[in-house]
Amino acid sequence: MEPFQPPRKKNLTTTIESILILALPLSNTNWIEQKSILFHAKQVLGDTIMETVDDRKPTNDQIVAALSRLVAHLKKQHDKANTSAPLLSHYRELPNDVKVAYDLLHKGASMVHATSTKYTLVGKISIEDQRILAADLLRGCELIGAATQSLLEDSSGCSRSVRQTVLKASLAICVNVIHLAESFQDQTALEENIGAQKTGAVWESCNTILNKLLPQGNRNAIRRDLFSWTKECQDTMEEFQEMIDLGPADTGGEDNVEEEDDDFFGDEDQYSEAELPIAKECFALLKCSRGTMKITLEASEELGRRATESNDDKFFILLGQLYDYSREVGEGVTDFGSLLYPPLLPSTKDLEAQLRKQATAIITLQDFLLGIDSFPAKVTTLANTLRNAATTRQKDALAAIVAAKN
């Protein structure tokens, strides 16, 4: 994919160009691509960042005002971050413009991280000298904002997972820098260790990028989501397996004091004899959810391989659709699990609705996979098995609910 090359406006300020000269080595092979991405971001952001900053020694008031505008702009991108690009551009190998955007993101985080401590220490001695360091903080945030804007563009071909993680990480850094600057505005940074605490928060948010905790590219981001949902399935299953293993609750005639003690210590978290069959069938549907995460991982790798080898857009489209279907299943586990705590009776309206929703999400994903031509036999076999199992478990769970009420 070609790097962004928007037409340059005659009245476009050269703030970003100045930042590049100061922040990026001239020998960098991505120099042209970096300039292109930053100019593109500047056109989208307009004067969002440097509107009132005319020199290289901004005041804390200017820092707060400028970054507040940047944060406000990024927050408006939440809706965009909650969707994938219309067409994913990559799976394993990152396109050049995406690589450059991640490089800028890292440079910005590194600049903010390296400057924040000096900014705090110098600020306790000389506000005038601190303004020089404040400019570097602002430049670092500008690089982060420009890189984030680039990755949010449809032309970057990034998935919803990439967009969300990048936006969250970028906002965290900018917001923490604002809090640090505000602490010098109201002088609270000079009290005890407040300045150090604010600096520590900046460091922590920067480390998400610098310590490579931020997944780079569609494959890493999608797989991290799938593994997270798999863990959620496993944790939920283990919790409810323990409850099921307790068997039905004893409904004998304990005295009131003992019942109150049971309530306090949590021993009431036990299914009744009528509820236990419902819990067992719902537990089986959780197993289907976990299996769905496993098959999605395998299918994603296969689609990613085909997309890379053939460079056929249809496989990237299928990959994006599969991820969206898997999100419905993965996030549904949390909602479904929250309704499985005893008592399940007498009201089962919400449980029945979420049961149907979770089973439908699983079946829909399997139907999607079964509709793709020439998938490996192990994938189609498992898809058929999971589809039939989810259909059966939904039917049996609903029947158990009816039987328990009668």
Side-chain angles (χ1 to χ4, degrees):
M1 181 178 292
E2 293 298 321
F4 294 115
Q5 293 184 350
R8 184 169 181 176
K9 297 180 181 179
K10 291 182 179 179
N11 61 349
L12 188 65
T13 64
T14 57
T15 301
I16 293 294
E17 204 166 18
S18 299
I19 293 170
L20 278 170
I21 292 171
L22 290 167
L24 305 177
L26 288 171
S27 59
N28 195 313
T29 56
N30 289 328
W31 171 257
I32 300 300
E33 290 84 352
Q34 288 170 339
K35 287 181 66 177
S36 182
I37 282 180
L38 288 169
F39 279 131
H40 174 77
K42 180 64 179 178
Q43 283 193 313
V44 175
L45 296 173
D47 291 322
T48 296
I49 307 172
M50 297 294 284
E51 188 177 75
T52 60
V53 184
D54 300 321
D55 57 30
R56 292 178 55 190
K57 296 176 66 178
T59 64
N60 285 317
D61 289 344
Q62 290 176 324
I63 290 289
V64 171
L67 290 183
S68 294
R69 289 193 296 275
L70 176 59
V71 167
H73 171 83
L74 292 177
K75 285 183 176 180
K76 291 178 181 178
Q77 308 302 307
H78 274 303
D79 288 343
K80 195 167 190 177
N82 285 330
T83 60
S84 295
L87 177 63
L88 300 187
S89 64
H90 63 280
Y91 189 62
R92 283 183 176 274
E93 297 295 328
L94 302 186
N96 194 51
D97 58 342
V98 174
K99 287 181 181 178
V100 171
Y102 276 113
D103 187 43
L104 289 175
L105 199 63
H106 190 279
K107 289 183 188 300
S110 180
M111 183 178 290
V112 172
H113 188 282
T115 304
S116 57
T117 299
K118 291 182 286 185
Y119 170 86
T120 301
L121 293 174
V122 172
K124 293 182 177 182
I125 302 172
S126 170
I127 294 297
E128 184 64 25
D129 292 338
Q130 184 191 46
R131 291 176 63 183
I132 300 174
L133 296 166
D136 288 338
L137 279 180
L138 192 57
R139 292 187 187 100
C141 289
E142 283 188 299
L143 291 175
I144 291 169
T148 302
Q149 183 63 48
S150 174
L151 292 171
L152 289 173
E153 293 292 324
D154 288 345
S155 53
S156 73
C158 289
S159 65
R160 173 179 179 171
S161 183
V162 169
R163 290 176 166 188
Q164 286 183 330
T165 54
V166 168
L167 183 60
K168 181 179 179 180
S170 299
L171 278 171
I173 293 173
C174 293
V175 168
N176 281 317
V177 171
I178 289 175
H179 291 166
L180 177 60
E182 286 176 336
S183 70
F184 280 97
Q185 276 184 313
D186 60 19
Q187 300 296 300
T188 57
L190 306 180
E191 301 173 4
E192 297 182 351
N193 63 343
I194 298 299
Q197 291 175 1
K198 300 294 184 182
T199 304
V202 173
W203 275 40
E204 185 176 356
S205 55
C206 288
N207 284 339
T208 299
I209 296 173
L210 299 179
N211 292 345
K212 299 182 179 179
L213 301 178
L214 188 71
Q216 292 196 13
N218 289 333
R219 181 177 185 268
N220 290 335
I222 288 173
R223 285 174 65 85
R224 190 176 79 163
D225 279 350
L226 291 172
F227 283 125
S228 295
W229 295 327
T230 300
K231 185 178 185 304
E232 176 69 20
C233 286
Q234 187 63 37
D235 291 346
T236 303
M237 288 172 58
E238 289 176 1
E239 180 179 3
F240 288 105
Q241 182 67 68
E242 291 179 2
M243 293 185 186
I244 291 172
D245 289 344
L246 291 173
D250 184 3
T251 57
E254 295 90 355
D255 57 44
N256 290 336
V257 174
E258 186 175 346
E259 288 179 357
E260 290 176 2
D261 287 343
D262 285 348
D263 287 343
F264 180 81
F265 290 107
D267 289 341
E268 82 283 0
D269 287 344
Q270 195 168 351
Y271 297 110
S272 68
E273 188 172 354
E275 293 169 338
L276 195 56
I278 302 173
K280 288 180 177 179
E281 295 301 336
C282 290
F283 179 82
L285 192 62
L286 287 173
K287 283 187 175 181
C288 295
S289 300
R290 183 182 61 180
T292 298
M293 294 299 101
K294 177 182 177 181
I295 195 174
T296 301
L297 277 166
E298 294 182 10
S300 296
E301 289 298 292
E302 177 64 19
L303 289 173
R305 182 187 65 79
R306 294 185 182 188
T308 302
E309 291 178 357
S310 67
N311 201 28
D312 191 334
D313 287 348
K314 76 175 183 180
F315 294 116
F316 284 118
I317 293 172
L318 291 172
L319 189 59
Q321 291 173 334
L322 176 59
Y323 172 73
D324 289 338
Y325 286 133
S326 68
R327 177 176 285 274
E328 289 294 320
V329 178
E331 293 183 344
V333 168
T334 301
D335 296 332
F336 186 43
S338 68
L339 298 172
L340 295 182
Y341 291 97
L344 301 179
L345 298 172
S347 177
T348 61
K349 180 180 177 181
D350 291 340
L351 176 59
E352 290 180 56
Q354 194 61 43
L355 170 66
R356 289 188 174 93
K357 182 178 179 180
Q358 188 68 9
T360 298
I362 294 171
I363 293 168
T364 300
L365 187 147
Q366 311 310 329
D367 285 341
F368 172 77
L369 290 177
L370 292 170
I372 299 175
D373 295 333
S374 305
F375 244 18
K378 65 177 183 179
V379 174
T380 56
T381 299
L382 182 55
N384 266 313
T385 300
L386 289 169
R387 189 192 190 287
N388 293 335
T391 301
T392 300
R393 297 310 178 189
Q394 176 183 214
K395 179 181 176 181
D396 292 348
L398 292 173
I401 291 173
V402 172
K405 289 183 174 180
N406 293 333

